[in-house]
Amino acid sequence: MKEIKFRAKSRIGNNWKYGFLTKTCEDSGDKYWIDVSDSNDSYEVDPNTAGQYTGVEDLEQNEIFEGDIFIPLYFPPCTTVEKAIQLHEFDKDNIGVVTFEYGNTVLKKKYYRDKQLSDYIEQEFSHYQSNVGEIYKYKNNIALGKVIGN
């Protein structure tokens, strides 16, 4: 089961804060807060920077949040997942932004071409190598790519 947490930039200091996202309705308008999980601190945050944790890490062990810019691994023809990881080359044609749609984590790419982020996640990814007929399935919660921004 994935951990429920959010990330957003604080209005004071412009630092990333991690925890539970809440909203208050005040006379001056709605305000959004991150309640930090391991303390009693709350920070007012910019809602435009808020993103939920996907429950997945990239190849460099960074947590992936909604709104992150993600670049998947490049798979040359007839390449195994292990070989692609070893080559550590990335597919610059498929950079996208991580979003949630209809209950799924989706990689939104340029020109509105969508790709399921789960296609790049080892636990759901299977790669068919036609020259030997092997199917590779992975059990770790690691996305086959890396976060390059947000």
Side-chain angles (χ1 to χ4, degrees):
M1 185 170 208
K2 80 172 186 172
E3 179 182 4
I4 305 297
K5 75 175 163 183
F6 292 83
R7 172 188 72 186
K9 284 196 173 185
S10 65
R11 291 224 181 252
I12 299 173
N14 206 29
N15 299 329
W16 286 111
K17 301 298 178 188
Y18 300 83
F20 190 72
L21 183 67
T22 59
K23 173 181 160 181
T24 58
C25 301
E26 301 178 12
D27 291 339
S28 60
D30 295 341
K31 291 188 177 183
Y32 293 83
W33 304 84
I34 289 281
D35 299 323
V36 178
S37 306
D38 57 353
S39 71
N40 291 327
D41 297 333
S42 289
Y43 298 90
E44 186 181 356
V45 295
D46 178 357
N48 296 319
T49 65
Q52 186 174 359
Y53 176 50
T54 63
V56 179
E57 294 180 352
D58 70 6
L59 287 172
E60 297 176 357
Q61 299 179 333
N62 298 310
E63 294 177 327
I64 300 176
F65 287 82
E66 179 181 19
D68 281 342
I69 300 169
F70 183 84
I71 184 169
L73 272 181
Y74 172 68
F75 284 85
C78 301
T79 300
T80 65
V81 174
E82 292 86 357
K83 184 66 175 175
I85 291 171
Q86 184 181 20
L87 291 172
H88 212 73
E89 293 178 22
F90 295 93
D91 188 353
K92 293 182 174 100
D93 292 332
N94 287 306
I95 295 171
V97 176
V98 176
T99 62
F100 285 115
E101 285 188 5
Y102 309 109
N104 293 318
T105 304
V106 174
L107 189 62
K108 283 279 232 193
K109 298 189 299 185
K110 296 178 196 174
Y111 312 114
Y112 304 103
R113 294 179 307 167
D114 296 344
K115 184 79 170 171
Q116 291 284 337
L117 181 61
S118 61
D119 288 350
Y120 302 113
I121 298 174
E122 290 181 334
Q123 73 180 37
E124 296 179 31
F125 185 89
S126 63
H127 181 69
Y128 181 75
Q129 185 181 15
S130 59
N131 60 345
V132 293
E134 293 180 78
I135 295 175
Y136 293 86
K137 292 184 180 178
Y138 292 82
K139 306 274 186 233
N140 298 333
N141 227 14
I142 304 295
L144 296 174
K146 69 178 179 176
V147 173
I148 58 172
N150 53 49

